[in-house]
Amino acid sequence: AALTALLSTSAFVQAASVVTNAPDRVYGTNMSYALVADDFTLVNPYDITGVRFWTLQETATDYSGSVYWAIYSNGTGPGSVLFDGTAVLTANATGQLGAFGYDEYIFDIPVTFQLAAGTYWLALQNDFLGNDEATEMLWGSSATGGENGVYKDFQIGPDWLDTEANHAFAILGDRVLPPNPAPEPGSLALVAGGLIGLRLVRRQRQSA
């Protein structure tokens, strides 16, 4: 058992809370005709397993049935796309009312990728990237977060504009810990010597 422990060099993961910007329900940014992004920072590398976000909607039908999502590198705002996709999601009503009397919903996106320590941007849009159909699906606000969120209105142009708010989302995953260091040759020799000694003692007892 001791020898096996010394020889183990594979990386392993540890469950951890990654990022949570809880909803405050006082504001929202329309994510139907605009791609909306907000930043987050990881202080360690993580295996990311899920993205959760909260919306405010006038009606349930404001959600089209799918959401485009992306993780951007950090530049002057969102940089380059690192991971993205379109997910068919279930809208779960929380029973809470937010700004404008809109109902709050929560969404969970299952994902699988790894991020190193650093700052990134999560971007979301109702339906598909570049959708310009305006419905009242708002990415809800949060009282916590880093820089203000930004949005890209495809009817206006390609520039990112300030939303003047942080947005409600959580990044879910497991912290990735570094591999165990390789054993020193002296440690291996010590363990091997101990095993040989135990075997000699056993032989002596059997002879007696």
Side-chain angles (χ1 to χ4, degrees):
L3 185 60
T4 300
L6 281 171
L7 291 175
S8 176
T9 59
S10 60
F12 63 102
V13 296
Q14 175 182 326
S17 175
V18 182
V19 174
T20 301
N21 293 345
D24 62 13
R25 308 181 189 91
V26 301
Y27 183 71
T29 303
N30 195 305
M31 55 180 287
S32 286
Y33 63 82
L35 177 66
V36 186
D38 212 328
D39 69 310
F40 63 94
T41 299
L42 304 178
V43 297
N44 293 292
Y46 284 91
D47 282 324
I48 306 302
T49 57
V51 173
R52 177 173 296 159
F53 66 96
W54 287 261
T55 66
L56 300 175
Q57 296 172 211
E58 185 176 18
T59 68
T61 57
D62 289 320
Y63 169 48
S64 69
S66 64
V67 167
Y68 171 79
W69 64 271
I71 300 293
Y72 284 79
S73 63
N74 185 45
T76 306
S80 57
V81 176
L82 302 177
F83 305 97
D84 69 344
T86 300
V88 176
L89 307 175
T90 299
N92 295 299
T94 67
Q96 301 288 331
L97 289 178
F100 322 114
Y102 285 10
D103 292 312
E104 182 184 63
Y105 293 83
I106 188 170
F107 295 80
D108 283 293
I109 308 173
V111 297
T112 304
F113 53 81
Q114 189 173 111
L115 292 176
T119 298
Y120 302 91
W121 291 77
L122 167 66
L124 301 170
Q125 183 166 16
N126 185 24
D127 206 353
F128 59 91
L129 178 63
N131 176 29
D132 61 2
E133 181 181 354
T135 67
E136 290 301 297
M137 182 176 181
L138 315 181
W139 187 356
S141 61
S142 174
T144 59
E147 300 292 330
N148 283 347
V150 294
Y151 72 98
K152 184 181 293 186
D153 185 339
F154 295 98
Q155 296 177 340
I156 296 176
D159 295 332
W160 291 102
L161 306 173
D162 191 347
T163 66
E164 301 182 359
N166 292 308
H167 298 87
F169 67 96
I171 305 297
L172 312 176
D174 301 294
R175 180 179 170 185
V176 179
L177 299 181
N180 293 330
E184 296 290 336
S187 299
L188 287 175
L190 181 62
V191 172
L195 293 175
I196 293 171
L198 288 174
R199 189 171 182 182
L200 289 174
V201 170
R202 181 178 297 174
R203 285 184 176 180
Q204 289 173 354
R205 287 180 178 175
Q206 289 173 347
S207 298

